């Protein structure tokens, strides 16, 4: 997992790209001297990676975002700092891209840069999301994202979940759909993302690597309790 | 002036509240005659504006909806989308359509809504007592342009038909008048073509009808007709800006 | 769609409207409710319904006025600045007795404010909002599933009373994701003989109208409307009370109530006698919830994402029987559990 210098998460709207990006970057941080998360989400107004900035900076993770006041602006601003991603060969990068083809369009401008660097583009699948329940829907979205982002997708991530209500069955059912997408597109499943609390339940059933997720994107009533 | 024929079935048997000599009444009658001739009263929903014609819902013998000032084209959009097989028309004054409701008319036209708009331009706000409209002529005295409309402060009168005709989505745009019998006949013909355009699904149709307001112009009915002919028509030329072949 | 799926509040609300039989949506983009029109633009064409992106919120509500005149289930949605623009149309709909559902995913104001969540439009929603003497039925969900259920019911209530119903959410409810079940339901059948659908030569013309030029007539019309609002007060009050036997109550709706549930648990873990009163209908306001605890309650703490709006209704409901304290955050900030708890403890100290 994650053996390319740059990992880009794309996928349908709400499929869990930001939650994954936050988890992955924190998981990898201890292993890398220089690591950054790039928030390229131009479509979603709340719950973006940028809201976790302080926490990430504390762990020596560079956070590349629209700067200053624009951080909370109602506009699709993208930082010029993104270009450093391409020019610094020692920087490990996780990129969180906005949902659907509408969000993926923000990648299009970097086509030439991506061609020159070692990267992977992971398509995140949550089959418990609207317009994402069948392989047909997912394959259509995959093609639309590739067309708008001008980047070929290189692998799939099975990330089916119902938030706090995820069960073993939810995961396995989504895993099956991801396998079908994999078979029909020829793309491998890079890993299956699961809630850490369900690890014991599924670890013997799934053959692909597992990535354990701790939910971070919580609403304010779950967020503040421990503080 | 207009000869009294038999009352069209599409008009109710109610005496209108319009001032004597006001041409709103003639325009109502033309619409009703067209509804009779096309036999569409049972499938027509009309929209009354805010303006002197606000009570139009009492006069047309079909389902009617009263709309907020200027919003008739949006209301028509909602009705037409819900009832695509019915005939939807709005009846709007120049304050209603050319001032407060410019956004609604421009965008109904821009979307090519399949509705018919009858735009009654009398160069004044009739209902509220004769204030200046965007269509009032230069030097025209109104209660809010007591020295006559001055270009320096208020620009020049707006020509809605010309403006809307520039939108590619409009199907039929024409300006007619009702100041004499020959023009009344032409106006009726164009109103009919506008309704037919809608029935054929051709898209947005608007007939601008130049109309009088003897009361607020301070003229007798006859003088008002002459004033319309001598002052309004030179600035607002009678013209078919767009008429689709299918309705001719 | 009877299985649980993970949905954003805005998407779930849109799908719930569809499940309730709404096939006509008119809206204009504004954050944080854009997912509603976006979802509808995808979903309604699949069902041969109509989505129109209007030129403004003014136009959108008037398109709703037109569609509602035709007797169909229709909806518009927006966020605070756009809701201000809809007020004229909403007033006309009440005056013309037209049903529809209006959604407000509130954001911080005044003016352009912020895109972050707020509850600053409570007065506007519950006290009329536009011109004239009128009320909307205002429903305030506090979870996505509840938003789904209330949205579906809103269409029935709108038709039952021939009055607009407002779903008053906020950006947080619109944007957060929770698992939901949405079960399509046959719309209840209400009389639509008033609709302007064309007489087809079979009946007298119908007129949709809010003009009653004679004062006597207009007063009669107003008395009829007030009678409806009274019926809403008699039949539609909804609220939730946690720990009705408690001595102190937190009071809040929507997102704020979600935060306060956490505080109730924190307080009870410390042995404090604390409950929660959560109005679900904001109009009609649940006065009865306060009457029921009047004999034993010692105080109330109202928390809002505003400078203090619902607190006025709580004070009217409590009617001087107990002290009513207030804690609010504005401008898009959410109240934090620890601050609410501190305010609560302060109130307890003052009472004793
Ligand atoms: C929002 C709003 N603003 C102002 C008015 C007052 N008003 C009523 S009719 C009218 C002007 C109507 O003029 P026009 O559309 O030219 O119709 P006419 O009476 O000349 O036929 C105005 C300003 C209103 N009813 N609503
Ligand atoms: S005020 Fe003018 S427009 Fe209105 S009815 Fe009288 S003459 Fe006609
Ligand atoms: Mg006029």
């Amino acid at each position: 997992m994650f053996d390319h210098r740059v990992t880009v998460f794309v996928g349908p709207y709400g499929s869990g790209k930001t939650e994954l990006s936050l988890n992955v970057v924190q998981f990898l941080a201890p292993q890398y001297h220089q690591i950054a998360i790039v928030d390229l989400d131009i479509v979603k107004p709340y719950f973006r990676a940028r809201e976790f900035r302080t926490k990430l900076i504390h762990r020596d993770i560079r956070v590349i975002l629209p700067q200053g006041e624009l951080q909370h602006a109602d506009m699709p601003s993208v930082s010029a700092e993104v270009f450093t991603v391409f020019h610094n060969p020692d920087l490990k990068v996780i990129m969180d891209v906005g949902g659907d083809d509408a969000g993926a369009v923000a990648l299009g401008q970097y086509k030439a840069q991506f061609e020159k660097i070692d990267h992977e583009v992971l398509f995140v699948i949550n089959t418990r999301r609207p317009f994402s329940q069948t392989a047909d829907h997912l394959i259509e979205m995959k093609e639309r994202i590739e067309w708008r982002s001008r980047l070929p997708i290189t692998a799939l991530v099975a990330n089916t979940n119902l938030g706090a209500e995820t069960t073993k069955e939810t995961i396995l059912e989504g895993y099956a759909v991801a396998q079908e997408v994999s078979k029909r597109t020829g793309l491998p499943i890079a890993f299956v993302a699961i809630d850490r609390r369900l690890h014991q339940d599924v670890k013997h059933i799934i053959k692909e690597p597992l990535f354990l997720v701790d939910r971070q994107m919580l609403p304010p009533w779950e967020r503040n309790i421990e503080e | 002036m207009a000869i009294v024929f038999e009352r069209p079935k599409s008009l109710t048997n109610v005496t209108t509240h319009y001032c004597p000599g006001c041409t709103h009444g003639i325009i109502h009658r033309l619409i009703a005659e067209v509804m009779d001739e096309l036999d569409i009263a049972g499938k027509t929903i009309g929209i009354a504006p805010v303006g002197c014609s606000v009570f139009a819902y009492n006069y047309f013998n079909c389902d009617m909806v009263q709309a907020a000032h200027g919003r008739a084209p949006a209301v028509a959009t909602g009705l037409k989308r819900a009832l695509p097989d019915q005939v939807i028309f709005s009846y709007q004054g120049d304050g209603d359509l050319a001032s407060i409701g410019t956004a609604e008319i421009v965008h109904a036209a821009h979307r090519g809504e399949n509705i018919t708009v009858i735009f009654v331009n009398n160069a004044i706000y009739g209902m509220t007592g004769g204030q200046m409209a965007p269509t009032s002529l230069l030097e025209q005295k109104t209660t809010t342009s007591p020295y006559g409309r001055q270009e320096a402060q208020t620009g020049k009168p707006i020509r809605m038909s010309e403006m809307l005709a520039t939108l590619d989505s409009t199907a039929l745009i024409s300006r007619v008048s009702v100041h004499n019998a020959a023009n009344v006949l032409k106006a009726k013909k164009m109103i009919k073509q506008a309704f037919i355009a809608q029935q054929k699904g051709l898209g947005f149709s608007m007939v601008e009808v130049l109309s009088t307001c003897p009361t607020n112009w301070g003229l007798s009915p006859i003088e008002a007709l002459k004033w319309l002919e001598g002052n309004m028509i030179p600035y607002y030329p009678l013209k078919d800006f767009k008429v689709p072949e299918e309705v001719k | 769609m009877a299985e649980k799926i993970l949905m954003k509040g805005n998407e779930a609300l849109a799908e719930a409207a569809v499940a309730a039989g709404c096939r006509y949506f008119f809206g204009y983009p504004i954050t944080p409710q854009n997912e509603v029109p976006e979802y509808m633009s995808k979903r309604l064409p699949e069902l041969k319904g109509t989505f129109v992106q209007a030129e403004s919120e003014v136009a959108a509500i008037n398109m709703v006025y037109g569609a509602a005149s035709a007797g169909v289930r229709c909806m518009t949605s927006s966020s605070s600045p756009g809701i201000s623009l809809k007020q004229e149309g909403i007033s006309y709909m009440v005056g013309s007795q037209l049903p529809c559902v209006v959604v407000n995913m509130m954001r911080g104001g005044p003016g352009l404010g912020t895109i972050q969540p707020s509850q600053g439009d409570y007065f506007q929603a519950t006290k009329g909002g536009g011109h004239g003497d009128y009320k909307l039925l205002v429903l305030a969900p506090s979870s996505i599933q509840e938003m789904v259920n209330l949205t579906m019911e809103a269409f029935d209530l709108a038709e039952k009373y021939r009055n607009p119903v407002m779903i008053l959410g906020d950006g947080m409810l619109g944007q957060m994701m929770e698992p939901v079940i949405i079960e399509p339901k046959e719309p209840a059948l209400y009389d639509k003989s008033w609709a302007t659908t064309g007489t087809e030569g079979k009946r007298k013309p119908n007129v949709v109208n809010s003009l009653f030029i004679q004062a006597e007539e207009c007063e009669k019309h107003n008395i009829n409307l007030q009678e409806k609002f009274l019926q809403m007060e008699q039949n539609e009050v909804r609220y939730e009370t946690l720990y009705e036997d408690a001595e102190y109550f937190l009071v809040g709706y929507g997102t704020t109530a979600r935060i306060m549930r956490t505080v109730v648990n924190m307080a009870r873990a410390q042995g404090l006698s604390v409950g929660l009163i959560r109005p679900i209908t904001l109009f009609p306001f649940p006065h009865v919830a306060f009457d029921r605890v009047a004999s034993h309650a010692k105080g109330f703490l109202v928390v809002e994402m505003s400078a203090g709006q619902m607190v006025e209704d709580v004070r009217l409901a409590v009617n001087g029987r107990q002290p009513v304290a207030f804690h609010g955050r504005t401008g898009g900030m959410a109240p934090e559990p620890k601050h609410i708890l501190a305010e609560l403890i302060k109130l307890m100290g003052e009472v004793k």
Side-chain angles (χ1 to χ4, degrees):
Chain A
M1 284 191 280
F2 315 114
D3 357 292
H4 301 271
R5 185 171 76 78
V6 176
T7 297
V8 182
F9 286 110
V10 298
Y13 190 63
S15 54
K17 299 169 294 298
T18 304
E19 187 74 88
L20 274 177
S21 304
L22 288 169
N23 272 274
V24 169
V25 81
Q26 290 175 75
F27 168 75
L28 295 177
Q31 307 164 36
Y32 289 87
H33 185 55
Q34 292 186 56
I35 185 164
I37 180 168
V38 181
D39 179 356
L40 266 190
D41 196 336
I42 55 168
V43 293
K44 175 169 66 162
Y46 298 9
F47 297 115
R48 305 192 220 194
R50 61 196 67 170
E51 289 169 28
F52 296 84
R53 187 181 191 180
T54 324
K55 183 175 175 187
L56 296 172
I57 291 172
H58 270 300
R59 299 191 180 182
D60 281 333
I61 297 166
R62 235 169 104 186
V63 183
I64 301 183
L65 320 157
Q67 297 301 299
E69 255 203 307
L70 285 180
Q71 235 189 97
H72 290 287
D74 185 8
M75 59 182 76
S77 46
V78 164
S79 166
E81 206 189 338
V82 173
F83 284 98
T84 63
V85 168
F86 303 105
H87 300 143
N88 178 355
D90 300 324
L91 185 65
K92 174 80 179 170
V93 179
I94 303 299
M95 246 192 212
D96 177 24
V97 181
D100 283 4
D101 43 338
V105 73
L107 285 170
Q109 59 191 305
Y110 308 114
K111 179 180 161 63
Q113 280 83 3
F114 272 111
E115 279 166 2
K116 289 182 215 136
I117 60 165
D118 172 35
H119 71 279
E120 60 180 346
V121 182
L122 304 183
F123 181 72
V124 180
I125 295 175
N126 179 354
T127 58
R128 287 299 190 104
R129 286 279 302 146
F131 310 111
S132 295
Q133 282 130 313
T134 64
D136 285 346
H137 271 116
L138 291 163
I139 292 169
E140 192 207 318
M141 182 52 74
K142 170 202 163 270
E143 280 160 10
R144 288 198 348 228
I145 288 176
E146 287 180 321
W147 179 64
R148 293 299 294 278
S149 68
R150 308 200 292 165
L151 278 182
I153 286 167
T154 56
L156 310 174
V157 173
N159 184 42
T160 292
N161 73 86
L162 275 175
E165 293 183 31
T166 312
T167 61
K168 175 182 164 192
E169 289 70 36
T170 326
I171 295 174
L172 294 179
E173 170 201 292
Y175 175 55
V177 178
Q179 282 178 311
E180 187 190 339
V181 175
S182 168
K183 203 148 98 211
R184 283 170 53 185
T185 57
L187 294 173
I189 297 179
F191 61 89
V192 179
I194 58 166
D195 191 318
R196 184 181 300 281
R197 294 166 307 177
L198 294 163
H199 187 199
Q200 295 306 326
D201 297 351
V202 298
K203 68 177 184 195
H204 302 297
I205 309 176
I206 294 173
K207 61 177 193 290
E208 277 86 1
L210 295 179
F211 180 78
L212 304 183
V213 175
D214 299 300
R215 283 178 68 225
Q216 320 225 345
M217 301 219 308
L218 301 170
W221 50 90
E222 291 179 43
R223 226 182 265 166
N224 274 309
I225 309 172
E226 303 95 43
E227 287 167 28
Chain B
M1 79 120 296
I3 324 113
V4 185
F5 324 88
E6 205 188 328
R7 180 174 54 84
K9 284 207 247 345
S10 298
L11 279 187
T12 55
N13 191 9
V14 182
T15 317
T16 70
H17 68 288
Y18 296 112
C19 306
C22 172
T23 45
H24 264 304
I26 297 178
I27 300 165
H28 279 34
R29 186 180 182 102
L30 297 182
I31 296 170
E33 286 177 5
V34 165
M35 278 162 65
D36 280 7
E37 287 169 24
L38 297 174
D39 192 22
I40 53 171
K43 55 183 309 200
T44 297
I45 298 103
I47 297 155
V50 177
C52 277
S53 46
V54 65
F55 291 120
Y57 59 77
N58 283 328
Y59 307 144
F60 289 107
N61 207 353
C62 63
D63 278 359
M64 293 291 296
V65 174
Q66 201 287 314
H69 197 17
R71 317 297 177 220
V75 174
T77 299
L79 274 159
K80 187 70 183 187
R81 297 296 182 115
L83 303 168
D85 299 328
Q86 304 299 61
V87 177
I88 312 291
F89 79 92
S90 73
Y91 186 107
Q92 301 180 254
D94 47 329
D96 198 78
L97 182 144
S99 186
I100 194 167
T102 40
E104 285 77 11
I105 193 68
V106 166
H107 287 281
H110 145 253
R111 288 189 303 271
E113 292 295 337
N114 191 27
I115 58 172
T116 300
V117 176
I118 308 299
F119 167 36
V120 179
N121 180 358
N122 58 9
I124 204 149
Y125 284 15
M127 186 192 207
T128 38
Q131 295 83 6
M132 194 191 90
T135 43
S136 297
L137 298 179
L138 288 181
E139 299 302 335
Q140 188 180 334
K141 286 199 167 88
T142 71
T143 57
T144 51
S145 59
Y147 309 111
R149 179 175 182 171
Q150 299 302 314
E151 183 187 342
Q153 281 121 46
T154 62
K156 291 181 181 173
I158 189 168
R159 294 186 182 99
M160 291 305 294
S161 288
E162 282 82 345
M163 197 170 119
L164 295 179
T166 66
L167 297 176
D168 287 347
S169 316
T170 52
L172 181 152
I173 306 280
S174 177
R175 184 184 291 117
V176 297
S177 173
V178 289
H179 65 286
N180 59 32
N183 276 284
V184 167
L185 284 179
K186 278 194 207 159
K188 178 175 165 186
K189 187 173 153 209
M190 192 47 62
I191 291 172
K192 191 167 181 176
Q193 290 182 347
F195 276 93
I196 292 173
Q198 181 180 166
Q199 285 192 291
K200 296 199 165 185
L202 302 180
F204 183 89
S205 53
M206 182 179 89
V207 182
E208 173 176 351
V209 189
L210 301 184
S211 185
T212 63
C213 178
T215 302
N216 287 307
W217 292 356
L219 300 173
S220 75
I222 304 287
E223 287 169 336
L225 294 171
K226 289 210 179 99
W227 191 85
L228 186 163
E229 184 173 15
N231 295 277
M232 286 184 77
I233 294 180
Y235 192 83
Y236 297 115
L238 305 184
K239 193 171 160 188
D240 291 343
F241 296 94
K242 270 183 182 178
V243 177
E245 282 308 316
E246 297 95 311
V247 301
K248 280 186 186 156
Chain C
M1 215 189 273
E3 73 167 359
K4 260 199 183 174
I5 55 173
L6 189 62
M7 286 182 104
K8 266 201 171 189
N10 287 331
E11 301 167 331
L13 179 142
E15 182 59 36
V18 167
C22 171
R23 294 291 179 274
Y24 299 88
F25 180 90
F26 307 90
Y28 187 81
I30 183 168
T31 310
Q33 63 81 58
N34 287 326
E35 296 80 4
V36 180
E38 284 166 1
Y39 190 93
M40 287 305 209
S41 70
K42 225 183 208 174
R43 190 74 171 98
L44 288 176
E46 291 178 1
L47 301 162
K48 305 218 179 330
T50 291
F51 163 82
V52 179
Q53 179 167 323
E55 62 271 26
S56 69
E57 291 85 352
V58 176
I61 189 71
N62 281 283
M63 290 175 188
V64 166
Y65 184 92
S69 300
V72 301
R73 289 200 156 181
C74 50
M75 178 167 98
T76 183
S77 102
S78 189
S79 178
S80 309
I83 297 294
S84 292
L85 278 185
K86 291 188 198 288
Q87 294 302 333
E88 174 197 49
I90 294 173
S91 166
Y92 272 70
M93 294 200 73
V94 175
S96 300
Q97 306 206 59
L98 290 175
C100 73
V101 175
V102 178
V103 178
N104 182 1
M105 290 296 172
M106 291 181 279
R107 59 187 248 180
L112 200 47
T114 164
I115 62 169
Q116 298 301 316
S118 152
Q119 297 179 321
D121 304 347
Y122 178 93
F123 283 150
Q124 186 196 51
T126 59
K127 310 291 169 189
H131 60 284
D133 263 333
Y134 74 87
K135 293 283 164 39
L136 307 178
L137 242 159
V138 184
L139 308 176
S142 113
S143 72
I144 313 274
Q145 185 66 55
E146 190 179 33
M147 187 143 77
V148 164
N149 302 348
L150 290 178
T151 301
M152 292 187 66
E153 257 182 86
F155 286 93
D156 287 343
L157 290 169
E159 290 183 359
K160 176 173 172 192
Y161 292 100
R162 285 182 61 188
N163 202 71
V165 175
M166 178 172 278
I167 305 285
L168 193 65
D170 61 62
M172 182 60 63
L173 282 167
Q175 293 297 325
M176 70 188 214
M177 280 198 194
E178 281 179 346
V180 288
I181 292 191
I182 304 177
E183 307 225 43
K185 178 172 133 234
E186 273 306 305
L189 286 180
Y190 291 97
D191 172 45
K192 296 273 177 74
S193 59
W194 46 265
T196 52
T197 52
T199 65
E200 304 295 348
K202 290 180 190 138
R203 56 164 170 78
K204 287 210 175 118
N206 284 337
V207 176
V208 167
N209 178 33
S210 63
L211 177 63
F212 297 85
I213 202 93
Q214 302 291 346
E216 294 85 351
E217 293 292 308
C218 198
E219 184 177 50
K220 239 188 260 170
H221 175 57
N222 267 281
I223 290 170
N224 288 340
L225 293 178
Q226 291 302 323
E227 178 57 34
K228 286 202 306 194
F229 305 141
L230 196 68
Q231 280 186 18
M232 293 177 193
E233 294 192 65
Q234 282 162 2
N235 305 332
E236 307 303 342
V237 168
R238 282 167 217 203
Y239 63 94
E240 182 189 5
T241 303
L242 290 184
Y243 306 110
E244 204 173 38
D245 58 353
E247 293 180 346
Y248 291 87
F249 289 90
L250 293 169
V251 187
Y253 67 96
T255 288
T256 314
R258 274 307 261 288
I259 300 172
M260 281 191 281
R261 267 174 209 277
T262 304
V263 183
V264 169
N265 294 337
M266 288 159 72
R268 294 188 78 90
Q270 296 182 20
L272 303 174
S273 176
V274 175
L276 171 73
I277 294 178
R278 174 173 79 88
I280 298 172
T281 51
L282 301 182
F283 179 84
F285 190 76
H287 290 258
V288 60
F290 298 87
D291 295 341
R292 284 175 61 101
V293 300
S295 60
H296 64 272
K298 290 190 176 166
F300 299 87
L301 173 62
V302 181
V303 182
E304 298 178 61
M305 291 193 285
S306 81
Q309 300 194 12
M310 186 179 72
V311 62
E312 295 191 3
D313 282 333
V314 175
R315 289 198 170 116
L316 284 174
V318 171
N319 201 13
R321 289 177 295 215
Q322 291 90 14
V324 177
F326 175 73
H327 174 65
R329 297 296 301 269
T330 56
M333 298 299 291
E336 291 183 33
K338 58 177 185 257
H339 294 148
I340 300 175
L341 187 61
E343 289 294 322
L344 187 65
I345 289 168
K346 192 170 124 206
L347 169 70
M348 291 173 165
E350 283 162 7
V351 171
K352 274 170 193 164

